């Protein structure tokens, strides 16, 4: 397993991404085409910025990326890519929708690689992760355009099925994806909702 992790760590360095997590988005993009040229993308939990960089390259100069994180994200300027707008904020904050909409009202894609700070208590960590995942779905309901896509990290465990069912109510197609670049021993998986249906 260590070999696989070293491989992605080295690859990220070579490809000039700040984190190897970029391949968890790249693999899904190659399989399901979540992002398209010209899309507006909201990246929740964006720091240190690999997904935002990757998305900006895929959507190109006519697209836009807005990244939100509790932590600072180093500003990125990329050639032949979308502008990346960074917001330092908590997605649980009451006024977060208004803050995001200062940049743009609706997005074609919402991404979330949000992970809570883990405590080592599996049950508590899974519950924290699920609270954040539910919040990303709630924000998507307000911020996604019709037929938009949603790609979100979740930790499998109790209530996971219920979360997937909630995603199924809002998207025409739903997949659960475990990228090769995600540690096999990790309980993280990604829920992909494609083609958002506005209620
Ligand atoms: C695994 S990292 C994201 C890596 C990123 N996708 C990349 O490729 O560079 C998870 C991020 O979620 C952020 N996060 C956790 N809870 C958050 C919250 N409530 N609001 C905003 N960001 C949060 C953390 O600060 C952390 O930077």
């Amino acid at each position: 397993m260590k070999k696989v992790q070293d491989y992605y760590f080295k690859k990220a360095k070579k490809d000039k991404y700040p984190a190897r997590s970029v391949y968890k988005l790249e693999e899904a993009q190659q399989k399901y085409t979540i992002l398209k040229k010209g899309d507006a993308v909201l990246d929740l939990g964006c720091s240190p910025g690999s997904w935002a960089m990757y998305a900006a390259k895929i959507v190109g100069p006519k697209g836009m990326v807005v990244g939100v994180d509790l932590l600072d994200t180093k500003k990125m300027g990329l050639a032949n890519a979308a502008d990346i707008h960074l917001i330092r904020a908590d997605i649980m904050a009451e006024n977060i929708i208004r803050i995001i909409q200062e940049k743009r009202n609706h997005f074609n894609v919402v991404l979330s690689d949000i992970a809570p700070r883990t405590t080592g208590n599996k049950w508590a960590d899974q519950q924290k992760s699920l609270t954040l995942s539910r919040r990303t779905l709630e924000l998507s309901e307000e911020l996604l355009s019709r037929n938009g896509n949603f790609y979100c990290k979740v930790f499998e465990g109790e209530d996971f099925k219920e979360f997937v069912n909630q995603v199924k109510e809002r998207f025409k197609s739903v997949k659960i994806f475990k990228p090769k670049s995600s540690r096999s021993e990790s309980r993280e998986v990604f829920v992909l909702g494609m083609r958002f249906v506005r209620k």
Side-chain angles (χ1 to χ4, degrees), residues 3 14 63 76 90 93 107 120-122 161 163 166 198:
K3 252 190 194 165
K14 186 172 137 277
M76 297 158 268
D90 185 342
F107 295 83
N121 175 328
K122 264 190 187 168
K161 267 199 184 142
F163 176 72
Q166 284 171 352
R198 226 168 233 300

Side-chain angles (χ1 to χ4, degrees), residues 21 45-51 69-71 89-91 113-115 132:
S21 46
C46 65
S47 183
S50 300
W51 282 25
D69 204 289
L70 282 173
L71 305 176
D90 185 342
I91 67 148
D113 191 23
I114 282 204
L132 288 164

Side-chain angles (χ1 to χ4, degrees), residues 54-73:
Y54 177 77
K57 288 186 205 169
I58 298 285
V59 302
K62 291 194 174 142
M64 174 191 198
V65 177
V66 175
V68 182
D69 204 289
L70 282 173
L71 305 176
D72 241 346
T73 309

Side-chain angles (χ1 to χ4, degrees), residues 6 17 29 71 81 86 89 93 121 141-142 155 183 186 190 197:
D6 284 350
Y17 285 108
Q29 172 66 11
L71 305 176
L86 298 167
N121 175 328
E141 284 171 14
E142 297 297 323
F155 287 89
R183 291 180 173 92
S186 156
F190 290 80
V197 187

Side-chain angles (χ1 to χ4, degrees), residues 134-146:
R134 286 195 183 113
R135 179 65 167 159
T136 62
L137 184 59
E138 200 175 275
L139 298 180
S140 300
E141 284 171 14
E142 297 297 323
L143 296 168
L144 261 185
S145 312
R146 206 171 134 253

